[in-house]
Amino acid sequence: QNGFGDAGVAALAGALGHGACPALTRLGLQANSIGDAGLATLGDALQAGAMREGEFIYLCDNPFTLDGREALARILAGTSLQIHFGWPPPRTKSFLITPPDRLAPDDAPQYDPPDLPGAAVASA
């Protein structure tokens, strides 16, 4: 745990939204005390074009609510960027909170991940 929090995400999202790190594909924000306000700020930056080539954002062990999580998922609908809310980080996209209709049949999880609070795993 650290004190990065919503204010830290706001600063990071502002930088990303203004073109910082254009080649960034993975962003680890796990255990950073990020709440719903931080997810909303991050979502705004992503909608504005941050991480256009992104693959994953890791957000496990943060105190956001299901509402915040669902709001971010709606923002990312139709994009290739996926959010991972559990641990360990995925080796493939199949371990994410990807809606089942967005997974190809060969993307089925390779193992049964641990049942962690706040973790959501896609299934084919």
Side-chain angles (χ1 to χ4, degrees):
Q1 287 285 2
N2 65 50
F4 194 66
D6 294 340
V9 170
L12 176 63
L16 293 174
H18 285 95
C21 305
L24 183 66
T25 59
R26 295 180 182 214
L27 178 61
L29 294 171
Q30 60 272 20
N32 277 285
S33 302
I34 299 168
D36 289 352
L39 290 185
T41 303
L42 181 60
D44 290 344
L46 296 170
Q47 275 187 315
M51 292 187 70
R52 283 193 178 130
E53 302 300 319
E55 295 176 6
F56 307 119
I57 298 177
Y58 307 104
L59 284 166
C60 68
D61 295 327
N62 283 292
F64 46 77
T65 67
L66 182 58
D67 289 339
R69 190 168 144 168
E70 288 175 347
L72 184 59
R74 282 191 299 275
I75 288 169
L76 296 177
T79 71
S80 63
L81 185 62
Q82 298 181 29
I83 304 298
H84 181 65
F85 292 106
W87 190 259
R91 292 186 181 189
T92 67
K93 291 184 180 184
S94 62
F95 293 101
L96 306 172
I97 187 167
T98 307
D101 63 324
R102 289 180 53 197
L103 287 176
D106 60 339
D107 283 337
Q110 304 296 314
Y111 74 102
D112 290 327
D115 186 19
L116 300 174
V121 177
S123 61

